[in-house]
Amino acid sequence: MARAKADEDDYWNSSKFAQAFTFDDEDDDFTRLKESKKAVNSISALVDEDDEDDDVEKVSWSGEPVGSISWSVKETASSLRPVGDSRELGFPKINASPSLPKNNSGYSLSSLFKVKTKVGGILSSADSFSDTPARHYAPELRKPKCELKDYISNWSPEETVLKMQQGKVVSLERFQSLQDKMLLLDKAVDGHDGNIITAILIYLKRSLCKEVLFRELVARETALQHYIHYLKESGEQKVLLDLFRALGRTEDEALLQYKHHLTITDENKRRDFLKTCLSLPFSPEDATHVQDHYTLLERQIIIEENDKMVERNGQSDLFKRFPRKSSILNMPLITTLYYSCFYHYSEPEGTYSSPANIRRTFKLAEKQYFLTALGARAKLKAWTDVDSLFTTRNWLGFTKKKSPVAFQRVLDILHKNNAPVQVLEVYVYLLEDLELKINMAHKFKCHDVIINTYRDTKDRQQLLGYQRKFDRSSVEHRKIADLLNNSQIRWKN
Amino acid sequence: MAAHLSNGRVNLNILREAARKELREFLDKCAGSKAIVWDEYLTGPFGLIAQYSLLKEHEVEKMFTLKGGRLPPADVKNIIFFVRPRLELMDIIAENVFSDKTNSRDYHILFVPRRSMLCEQRLKEQGVLGSFTNIDEYILDLIPYDGDLLSMESEGAFRECYLENDQTSLYHTAKGLMTLQALYGTIPQIYGKGECARHVANMMLRMKREFAGSQNQILPVFDTLLLLDRNVDLLTPLATQLTYEGLIDEIYGITNGYVKLPPEKFAQKKQGEGSKDLPTEPKKLQLNSAEELYAEIRDKNFNAVGAALSKKAKIISAAFEERHNAKTVGEIKQFVSQLPHMQAARSSLANHTSIAELIKDLTTSEAFFDNLTVEQEFMTGVDTDKVNTYIEDCIAQKVPLIKILRLMCLQSVCNNGLKQKVLDFYKREILQTYGYEHMLTLNNLEKTGLLKPQTNSRNNYPTIRKTLKLWMEDANEQTPNDISYVYSGYAPLSIRLTQVLARPGWRSIEEVLKMLPGPHFEERQQLPAGLHKKRQQGENRTTLVFFLGGVTYAEIAALRFLSQMEDSGMEYIIATTKLINGSSWIKSLMDHPETQSP
């Protein structure tokens, strides 16, 4: 009963609703919005204007209950935003605006966030985690803006963690010795609050040298995981790599390094970066993949440069007839092979862009190569190329059709590319399963196949039935009539 | 409109009310007029708690979505940011605050569900931390989703727990369970299976010790808590759900209780009117048990939905026909008073008929059938140790990568790992067809155990399958007698564990429990004297089943089925970190899922 009680027909068909309205921010059509609102209101008038615990909900066209939060956000936003998004008015970038002077003392933590180093001089009292008690809304909460005072006391590690969990202000500075610090960390881990574990790790990261911290973390799996997560979140790639190295987690280190390539948009820089990845300690399988990745991009850059020029100069008829939809850069290997089969099919194996070269370089399986080439040549309607893909010649010089995938799949692909009946027929004949052969022949309207198959199976009834589908004057009709009159055939029915 | 929350065995509306109270208290803390700037992701979950009217009552005059640049003009005293603790959002907030030239304003941040030291550091970095009057947290741990369902709506929980080993979400879980116990009484018995379950139980017991001073004097509503790790049962979410609600989620995705559907089927034409005004916006529908018809059909196997709908249609038309029999003024009045209800029922029927049609188009397709066949072969243990040609063909046809990963992981799980040769073959084909960068995703899947090379140990899946009766040959889809109807044959492992726990108890399956990852355990929490329930003869017990790392709609359907079984003697309330399906789950484990080929 999520719908309004209002009559369904009225709801859907009233002229106010005929134009479905949206609550999108972009919707600057004020009149429509007003009208819609009126409509919404008129609907709500139909239902009991009760408190919201009524089991009837008001629903707008988009299905949001009228008055739901996401509805209202859009509603107030769209009626407020001036036409022409306010985002376009140039805003001062944060970097340009003066840093707010803070009178706090202590350490600068900004060095921890190297990714987005801000205008210097923002000092903060690092380790006093000022907190307003989370769930006790007492009047003292209306404190002066962001109070950050250092609170010194002699809490034990356990008490400190507990206070932090309760959102109290604590100082970590008094934990000076390594032993104390680790005790503090262990207590935090016992408490399982990731937020507090992270807070303590930030303190440790600053107050301990890297080697010592790493060494201590080795024996503390949970804390270590939080530390890794923290470094990832704050984008401290370098420290993280050092850590993995120190831990002997070389594969993680390699993968993390490799992942970085996704952020590089310039293809040449990306290629060079991938080259540096080749020497990383990947697992043997992954190492092969990274090598292939590098080789592929290297090839793509060469092919792209060449093809772009050929296309621009109008040197190639193929590019004119089938303009490239996008560049080949960063496409998967199979897509690249398809591209090559499409634009560079007849090139000799020596050229980088030839299908044969790609097939050999990446050691592609026969099936993969075959399907890709078939798809590309069928798309171009190059039926002779398709035909020769299947043709093998034995030592006596006889030709034979062979395929690494089922002929049914081949037919699907050809059919999708609108292959003519004459082409399809050849492969329907090659299907071994009789029932399948008939079905496919029906599907593709290969009359000859059907007629000949019924002849071969001496099925007069089927043949008679099939004959009725044709005009008396048609070739097929006459052909069937000839067969039926053929006294040489011994019909089974 | 939250009436459906209090219909069940446990009145979950209490939890909702508690959450609303807390929200009001926070709003009142920021005196004067206010505008809320929303992290858009949160509007969905918040919608389950409160409506705009509540905010309005507390002087919220404007609401915006969080965006970079300048805040839209608003003549208010307070600006409140409702955000998740994410570093990138902190940068946007800083930008907003910096570019706001109104000096007389107070800024506040409400972190949902928890404050984060990292985020506050980031604000400090950006030089805006001092601008905030209140920095607070709104502990939205467990959101009442339906009468028997609670969700933390935490998308990344599985990834954090099993890939990144970050236990923060487990801490939130424990906290949420403490809140729940504060409202519904101490849960005397705790069972669990899995590493994360163990952690959560430990934290709960520890937190209870810390509050030892104050005894909870509420009569316990729950008899038992069962904590289950998602990685105890990696299989179930990978299979395609076959219940009505499960299929809606698989195909269209249900977010925060809403689904967006293609509009074509929902347009109604008046006679003589052209189709020129077809809506182009997706049709958005809310799905929960407040809708009578939906509550009736959501958990049915999809093959039984058609019959249920046509039965309903007959009832409704009969009701409308009644008008011819109404002769007296009284009778007519009576009829008219029922009209709104009948019309609501009719539109509900119209909607679900359209949805069922949409789903049927898909389930009757060849692709769906082929996929299902392969899934069922894997689950019954057919040829799981070989390269599967269907998967190979799918790769060659470049179907969306998630589908491939789902099937491949299913095969791996059903074979206790893939042979190295098979695994290498799949990996190579995927990387060559979809791009080498997916190496990262494949590594993630291996780390979580969804994908793995077979070690020397024996494949123990057949033993698990037989002992727990995970495959039922004669699953009855129309009038089910076993939970296996939700997957048309496969009985979800997680729910079998739940079922066996209730009767005859886990001791009967010790061997299987040992084969599944993580410890299994039992804990008891002491109740103060006088709070021990005196059970009436035949009164059902109530179990809260908590799925750490996500639960599917089909699993929920199976639990509801168990609750309704006459002789089960047990009612189930379900809680989870997130409602998932195989695709959303795999997606959460992918690195750069958006680079996926179409």
Side-chain angles (χ1 to χ4, degrees):
Chain A
M1 257 190 298
R3 296 239 134 266
K5 278 183 190 164
D7 188 318
E8 180 73 1
D9 287 338
D10 280 349
Y11 183 80
W12 288 105
N13 294 318
S14 73
S15 56
K16 291 160 204 150
F17 277 94
Q19 286 254 307
F21 65 90
T22 69
F23 290 120
D24 274 352
D25 292 351
E26 294 81 22
D27 191 359
D28 55 352
D29 194 338
F30 269 89
T31 49
R32 211 168 69 184
L33 193 59
K34 257 192 224 150
E35 197 179 321
S36 330
K37 264 172 93 174
K38 219 163 74 192
V40 173
N41 291 338
S42 72
I43 279 195
S44 52
L46 294 172
V47 289
D48 312 12
E49 285 284 46
D50 223 336
D51 62 347
E52 53 171 289
D53 283 16
D54 193 303
D55 66 343
V56 175
E57 208 171 304
K58 302 147 200 170
V59 184
S60 73
W61 152 247
S62 62
E64 302 274 9
V66 172
S68 81
I69 287 174
S70 46
W71 181 83
S72 315
V73 171
K74 288 168 186 166
E75 182 72 342
T76 48
S78 57
S79 55
L80 269 165
R81 286 268 157 84
V83 185
D85 203 325
S86 52
R87 272 170 294 179
E88 284 159 20
L89 312 165
F91 296 115
K93 282 271 169 286
I94 310 174
N95 289 349
S97 53
S99 63
L100 298 175
K102 288 282 169 317
N103 51 3
N104 303 317
S105 62
Y107 300 85
S108 162
L109 274 185
S110 49
S111 58
L112 288 180
F113 294 88
K114 288 204 177 85
V115 220
K116 294 219 169 176
T117 312
K118 289 275 92 74
V119 202
I122 307 167
L123 297 176
S124 50
S125 81
D127 302 304
S128 62
F129 294 109
S130 136
D131 244 342
T132 45
R135 293 173 61 109
H136 312 281
Y137 302 133
E140 87 257 6
L141 286 179
R142 309 276 305 154
K143 278 179 200 160
K145 294 196 172 190
C146 197
E147 175 202 45
L148 287 168
K149 67 171 177 183
D150 248 330
Y151 196 100
I152 308 292
S153 72
N154 282 329
W155 285 325
S156 70
E158 206 158 8
E159 283 165 337
T160 306
V161 169
L162 198 63
K163 297 288 169 204
M164 287 172 85
Q165 275 176 354
Q166 291 161 354
K168 299 262 168 65
V169 184
V170 293
S171 161
L172 302 177
E173 290 296 326
R174 55 168 295 271
F175 297 96
Q176 289 293 331
S177 73
L178 180 61
Q179 201 191 350
D180 281 353
K181 285 174 182 169
M182 287 308 131
L183 203 57
L184 181 67
L185 181 60
D186 290 340
K187 290 298 163 199
V189 169
D190 285 346
H192 292 288
D193 186 339
N195 202 16
I196 289 165
I197 300 172
T198 307
I200 288 166
L201 284 167
I202 294 175
Y203 169 63
L204 296 182
K205 178 170 186 278
R206 195 176 39 74
S207 65
L208 288 173
C209 81
K210 212 158 57 183
E211 289 71 25
V212 176
L213 180 59
F214 289 179
R215 194 189 63 215
E216 292 295 328
L217 286 176
V218 171
R220 294 173 170 80
E221 184 62 23
T222 309
L224 177 64
Q225 293 301 345
H226 277 92
Y227 192 56
I228 291 170
H229 186 64
Y230 157 65
L231 293 175
K232 272 188 192 159
E233 279 280 300
S234 49
E236 291 192 72
Q237 182 96 353
K238 220 186 135 310
V239 186
L240 194 50
L241 286 172
D242 289 345
L243 176 62
F244 282 148
R245 210 165 299 143
L247 293 171
R249 288 170 55 172
T250 49
E251 274 184 46
D252 286 328
E253 178 202 341
L255 282 170
L256 180 71
Q257 183 89 293
Y258 168 77
K259 186 177 178 175
H260 183 67
H261 86 265
L262 290 166
T263 61
I264 305 172
T265 45
D266 180 87
E267 66 267 17
N268 288 308
K269 284 190 187 138
R270 193 184 257 214
R271 177 198 57 205
D272 295 344
F273 180 83
L274 285 172
K275 194 170 184 185
T276 66
C277 289
L278 296 178
S279 57
L280 293 172
F282 288 103
S283 67
E285 306 89 66
D286 284 350
T288 328
H289 299 317
V290 174
Q291 171 71 54
D292 282 352
H293 191 175
Y294 165 71
T295 314
L296 178 63
L297 184 58
E298 193 187 27
R299 295 285 172 90
Q300 286 172 335
I301 291 172
I302 297 168
I303 298 173
E304 177 67 21
E305 203 171 316
N306 179 60
D307 287 5
K308 215 154 89 186
M309 204 177 67
V310 172
E311 188 175 35
R312 196 173 37 226
N313 297 346
Q315 291 161 324
S316 155
D317 192 39
L318 198 53
F319 284 119
K320 267 188 235 160
R321 275 201 297 144
F322 302 97
R324 303 188 312 153
K325 286 192 190 100
S326 68
S327 101
I328 194 62
L329 296 170
N330 296 317
M331 292 295 170
L333 174 58
I334 297 294
T335 313
T336 311
L337 176 65
Y338 182 90
Y339 176 95
S340 146
C341 288
F342 198 90
Y343 291 112
H344 302 277
Y345 195 60
S346 50
E347 282 173 19
E349 196 177 332
T351 56
Y352 273 164
S353 48
S354 74
N357 192 304
I358 293 176
R359 182 183 183 177
R360 198 184 32 141
T361 309
F362 297 96
K363 302 191 189 68
L364 284 167
E366 189 192 7
K367 207 163 158 183
Q368 276 176 310
Y369 175 80
F370 183 87
L371 281 171
T372 312
L374 176 63
R377 298 324 286 171
K379 183 96 196 160
L380 280 169
K381 309 212 181 307
W383 307 121
T384 41
D385 289 342
V386 169
D387 190 61
S388 57
L389 265 173
F390 296 95
T391 311
T392 51
R393 217 173 272 274
N394 70 8
W395 59 279
L396 284 171
F398 293 119
T399 61
K400 201 184 153 204
K401 294 248 181 295
K402 252 178 69 182
S403 162
V405 296
F407 279 111
Q408 199 185 342
R409 267 292 291 290
V410 174
L411 280 164
D412 279 341
I413 295 170
L414 292 176
H415 180 62
K416 258 184 217 139
N417 287 294
N418 301 320
V421 176
Q422 296 87 316
V423 174
L424 291 169
E425 219 171 53
V426 177
Y427 303 96
V428 178
Y429 268 125
L430 291 168
L431 292 169
E432 278 174 17
D433 183 289
L434 205 65
E435 198 181 332
L436 184 67
K437 189 192 275 191
I438 292 285
N439 283 341
M440 288 303 225
H442 274 293
K443 186 173 164 191
F444 303 134
K445 300 196 168 50
C446 304
H447 306 307
D448 277 357
V449 179
I450 294 172
I451 295 169
N452 292 343
T453 308
Y454 288 149
R455 180 199 63 200
D456 294 346
T457 55
K458 316 220 179 333
D459 198 334
R460 204 167 64 99
Q461 293 304 326
Q462 289 283 5
L463 212 46
L464 273 168
Y466 200 64
Q467 192 182 29
R468 277 179 226 125
K469 293 187 179 178
F470 298 99
D471 266 5
R472 289 196 159 272
S473 56
S474 69
V475 186
E476 286 83 9
H477 196 279
R478 203 165 52 244
K479 187 173 172 187
I480 295 175
D482 288 350
L483 281 173
L484 291 170
N485 293 332
N486 188 335
S487 55
Q488 301 283 314
I489 304 172
R490 303 185 60 182
W491 301 106
K492 72 173 178 189
N493 49 25
Chain B
M1 99 198 38
H4 62 286
L5 296 179
S6 45
N7 290 338
R9 164 93 177 191
V10 175
N11 184 358
L12 294 181
N13 210 19
I14 298 175
L15 185 61
R16 184 173 182 264
E17 281 308 322
R20 287 160 69 90
K21 179 162 169 268
E22 203 151 303
L23 184 60
R24 284 193 208 107
E25 280 171 355
F26 173 78
L27 291 172
D28 289 342
K29 219 158 78 182
C30 316
S33 59
K34 31 198 157 284
I36 296 178
V37 184
W38 287 94
D39 171 355
E40 207 162 10
Y41 179 89
L42 288 176
T43 56
F46 260 86
L48 296 164
I49 296 294
Q51 302 291 299
Y52 185 39
S53 56
L54 180 142
L55 304 176
K56 232 172 171 171
E57 281 162 25
H58 295 264
E59 295 178 89
V60 175
E61 293 178 359
K62 299 274 173 6
M63 305 221 279
F64 310 108
T65 28
L66 184 63
K67 275 181 195 158
R70 195 189 320 216
L71 287 169
D75 185 20
V76 288
K77 176 84 177 42
N78 301 284
I79 300 277
I80 312 175
F81 295 93
F82 278 30
V83 287
R84 285 167 296 163
R86 294 269 182 106
L87 287 179
E88 65 274 17
L89 299 180
M90 298 307 111
D91 295 349
I92 300 177
I93 291 179
E95 215 178 319
N96 282 175
V97 171
F98 262 120
S99 52
D100 193 24
K101 294 285 177 281
T102 336
N103 285 324
S104 57
R105 266 184 191 161
D106 285 348
Y107 296 100
H108 316 268
I109 296 187
L110 190 62
F111 282 114
V112 186
R114 282 297 138 101
R115 298 179 64 152
S116 138
M117 225 54 92
L118 268 181
C119 286
E120 285 169 51
Q121 294 289 5
R122 180 65 147 244
L123 290 171
K124 202 183 277 182
E125 286 293 303
Q126 302 273 27
V128 292
L129 188 65
S131 316
F132 292 95
T133 313
N134 280 311
I135 295 182
D136 228 319
E137 62 187 357
Y138 183 66
I139 306 173
L140 200 61
D141 283 328
L142 281 166
I143 306 167
Y145 212 92
D146 213 321
D148 56 357
L149 179 58
L150 300 160
S151 169
M152 294 170 70
E153 291 301 270
S154 153
E155 209 125 31
F158 184 84
R159 185 181 171 115
E160 281 162 24
C161 288
Y162 300 96
L163 182 61
E164 279 150 11
N165 288 307
D166 177 341
Q167 293 167 357
T168 309
S169 68
L170 298 182
Y171 177 75
H172 292 178
T173 305
K175 280 273 188 189
L177 283 164
M178 295 313 281
T179 312
L180 213 62
Q181 291 188 91
L183 293 169
Y184 298 97
T186 305
I187 307 175
Q189 262 185 320
I190 303 176
Y191 291 93
K193 171 71 185 164
E195 291 290 347
C196 293
R198 185 68 262 184
H199 273 304
V200 170
N202 285 350
M203 277 187 270
M204 285 172 68
L205 297 172
R206 195 191 154 90
M207 287 172 189
K208 186 161 186 273
R209 279 201 299 279
E210 281 158 14
F211 290 112
S214 58
Q215 281 281 17
N216 187 338
Q217 290 302 332
I218 299 170
L219 193 72
V221 173
F222 298 105
D223 301 284
T224 310
L225 166 66
L226 170 59
L227 294 160
L228 281 177
D229 272 36
R230 185 71 271 177
N231 82 337
V232 169
D233 172 14
L234 293 170
L235 195 164
T236 303
L238 294 170
T240 304
Q241 309 171 67
L242 296 177
T243 58
Y244 181 52
E245 187 166 43
L247 276 166
I248 296 179
D249 189 42
E250 294 275 349
I251 301 168
Y252 299 106
I254 301 175
T255 34
N256 305 126
Y258 285 89
V259 66
K260 281 185 181 163
L261 299 159
E264 298 80 27
K265 289 255 183 192
F266 295 91
Q268 290 191 1
K269 271 177 278 180
K270 224 177 209 165
Q271 286 142 329
E273 214 175 86
S275 56
K276 57 185 189 306
D277 289 331
L278 279 182
T280 48
E281 281 275 291
K283 167 99 175 155
K284 207 171 165 188
L285 278 180
Q286 191 173 23
L287 300 173
N288 61 39
S289 60
E291 191 183 348
E292 199 182 306
L293 175 62
Y294 187 62
E296 225 171 276
I297 57 173
R298 68 197 303 184
D299 299 320
K300 285 190 190 300
N301 184 295
F302 185 66
N303 283 336
V305 166
L309 284 176
S310 78
K311 202 175 114 197
K312 191 78 181 177
K314 277 185 198 129
I315 295 171
I316 291 175
S317 6
F320 271 97
E321 282 310 305
E322 278 295 303
R323 71 178 184 276
H324 299 303
N325 301 333
K327 297 278 189 291
T328 68
V329 175
E331 278 168 353
I332 292 169
K333 225 175 157 182
Q334 164 82 9
F335 178 80
V336 169
S337 74
Q338 283 170 355
L339 258 182
H341 179 81
M342 284 160 57
Q343 263 148 356
R346 193 179 68 174
S347 81
S348 165
L349 179 69
N351 283 338
H352 288 292
T353 308
S354 303
I355 298 174
E357 273 171 10
L358 286 168
I359 293 176
K360 194 155 189 257
D361 288 348
L362 214 103
T363 53
T364 48
S365 71
E366 208 174 309
F368 188 87
F369 180 81
D370 290 347
N371 184 67
L372 204 61
T373 310
V374 174
E375 282 183 10
Q376 301 199 339
E377 279 173 11
F378 288 160
M379 290 192 287
T380 47
V382 177
D383 287 343
T384 46
D385 55 351
K386 297 193 189 105
V387 168
N388 181 285
T389 46
Y390 179 71
I391 296 184
E392 198 188 349
D393 286 350
C394 284
I395 296 174
Q397 286 164 32
K398 276 198 125 180
V399 306
L401 179 58
I402 288 185
K403 180 179 161 174
I404 307 282
L405 297 176
R406 232 177 125 162
L407 279 173
M408 189 171 62
C409 291
L410 184 68
Q411 184 179 356
S412 172
V413 172
C414 291
N415 199 51
N416 196 19
L418 295 168
K419 281 192 177 152
Q420 190 68 51
K421 238 177 78 188
V422 176
L423 183 61
D424 288 347
F425 175 84
Y426 283 146
K427 277 181 161 181
R428 222 174 92 95
E429 293 262 316
I430 287 172
L431 296 179
Q432 290 178 340
T433 309
Y434 295 90
Y436 290 103
E437 64 275 16
H438 293 290
M439 213 165 82
L440 298 161
T441 297
L442 293 173
N443 268 286
N444 289 350
L445 294 175
E446 283 197 53
K447 277 188 192 141
T448 53
L450 274 162
L451 201 61
K452 60 179 182 187
Q454 207 170 39
T455 48
N456 294 325
S457 66
R458 208 165 64 86
N459 175 11
N460 54 22
Y461 174 70
T463 317
I464 299 172
R465 187 183 69 229
K466 277 172 211 147
T467 315
L468 293 179
K469 297 195 180 66
L470 297 186
W471 188 261
M472 303 294 274
E473 261 329 313
D474 43 3
N476 188 336
E477 294 169 345
Q478 303 292 331
T479 45
N481 48 17
D482 180 75
I483 55 169
S484 55
Y485 85 92
V486 297
Y487 286 97
S488 294
Y490 167 71
L493 198 162
S494 56
I495 312 304
R496 273 287 192 255
L497 289 180
T498 313
Q499 197 180 5
V500 173
L501 178 68
R503 204 161 52 189
W506 275 0
R507 218 158 298 168
S508 62
I509 52 163
E510 282 284 335
E511 285 306 306
V512 165
L513 284 174
K514 274 185 209 143
M515 290 174 185
L516 298 168
H520 57 282
F521 59 88
E522 180 185 351
E523 299 281 354
R524 276 172 195 278
Q525 299 197 93
Q526 280 304 316
L527 293 178
L531 285 188
H532 291 280
K533 233 199 249 180
K534 289 166 207 78
R535 202 173 305 282
Q536 304 286 320
Q537 180 85 45
E539 191 190 330
N540 281 354
R541 299 165 63 83
T542 306
T543 296
L544 176 67
V545 190
F546 205 121
F547 293 86
L548 302 163
V551 69
T552 64
Y553 285 99
E555 286 170 301
I556 294 170
L559 280 177
R560 286 187 183 139
F561 173 78
L562 289 180
S563 291
Q564 282 157 15
M565 271 200 349
E566 271 172 30
D567 55 347
S568 79
M570 188 67 84
E571 289 221 28
Y572 294 98
I573 304 290
I574 303 125
T576 183
T577 47
K578 175 78 189 164
L579 290 149
I580 57 166
N581 61 49
S583 300
S584 66
W585 189 37
I586 296 279
K587 197 169 174 187
S588 78
L589 292 171
M590 291 176 80
D591 267 318
H592 294 269
E594 69 279 5
T595 57
Q596 198 204 138
S597 323

